[in-house]
Amino acid sequence: MGVFASSDDPGSSGHEQVVFCQDKQTGLRAIIAIHSTALGPALGGTRFYPYASEAEALADVLDLSRGMAYKNALAGLDLGGGKAVIWGDPEKLKSEALLRAYGRFVESLRGRYYTACDVGTYVADMDVIARETRFVTGRSVEHGGAGDSSVLTAWGVFQGMRAAAEHVWGTPTLAGRTVGVAGLGKVGRHLTGHLIDDGARVVATDVSPRACEWARQTYPQVELVSDVTALITADIDVYAPCALGGALNDDTVPALRAKVVAGAANNQLAHPGVEKLLAERGVLYAPDYVVNAGGVIQVADEIDGFNFERAKLRATRIYDTTREILRLADADGVPPAEAADRLAERRMADVGRLRTILLP
């Protein structure tokens, strides 16, 4: 088992620390990226995914950890931004020994990084990792945790979507609107329920036949389409990307018929400049790291002893944060993503500076 920190990659990307972890016996290959601890320990989930290469895994963890720094800042948390990826197929590679080996690497950072669930990792995995480290959130209720963080992730996305609807159509509801949900995984399922309860019509797609069958059985009123292309070219008012990142790119944005984009996926903008392309087409983009912060709010609440109602109340405030960002974007004449970045950077600078005041 070995660990080393890269000295080149963090500096070029603005990260404080990037740690490569390997345990050959279990097959563990992981990267932990800490973007910022200006507001407190870095918090972000562990993604277990079969990347095509180490370079692809590194690029993803750098992007995701930066997004977590901004997300945690705008969520009002006293936490910095970090993320981890385990490179491999979780269906083939995941084991108790691998997860525990990973936990020891997390522990080696001595609290600079708290981990949680992400794509390919679940609450049960966090309980295993926690057998080797104290710095784990997103644990099971039986072990004093918050349970499935997708519950408040979806609730927060719904609140952000309500704020965007109010900005575009004048009322904070999706009633009578058609929402296209791309991805019926953990978050997409909860979001679909909130939308239907609010009176929205839902069109959805997922690459998993099992997820589509769940929709047919649970919400037969949901219209299922073959793929994302069919979804974004459908007659929808709101597009909700709830799968992997990069959903908004040079191909999808010109084809998009929705007037609002608000979804749970991380890093929805495929590259810088996409937010301006959306604005030019008259599409309102609710920044992903603003509206999908409910999950990190939920798991962060575990650090001081989890209380669901307290966490839900904080996640509900995503509505107010989104409203303020959209207002600032209009006032400054910039895309919402830029307004959100400015607000997050201001908080990291203003509050983070207080750590320079030495205490006895």
Side-chain angles (χ1 to χ4, degrees), residues 3 14 19 28 34 50 69 88 90 95 98 101 110 118 147 191 221 251 262 271 296-297 303 311 329 346:
V3 57
V19 179
L28 173 70
I34 297 173
S95 67
L98 180 146
R110 300 184 181 275
D118 197 77
L191 178 61
Q221 64 269 55
D251 295 323
H271 60 79
V296 74
I297 288 170
I303 295 173
R346 187 183 311 158

Side-chain angles (χ1 to χ4, degrees), residues 170-204:
T171 55
T173 178
L174 283 304
R177 303 292 171 188
T178 300
V179 181
V181 178
L184 292 169
K186 293 183 287 187
V187 177
R189 295 183 183 195
H190 290 298
L191 178 61
T192 297
H194 294 316
L195 292 168
I196 288 174
D197 289 344
D198 195 38
R201 172 176 170 260
V202 176
V203 181

Side-chain angles (χ1 to χ4, degrees), residues 12 14 18 25 39 41 45 68 72 80 89 130 144 147 202 204 219 236 259 277 289 342-344:
S12 62
V18 179
Q25 188 167 339
L39 296 176
M68 288 304 305
N72 293 341
D89 185 346
V202 176
Y219 296 111
I236 58 176
K259 290 296 182 184
L277 182 59
Y289 70 79
R342 290 178 181 179
L343 199 60

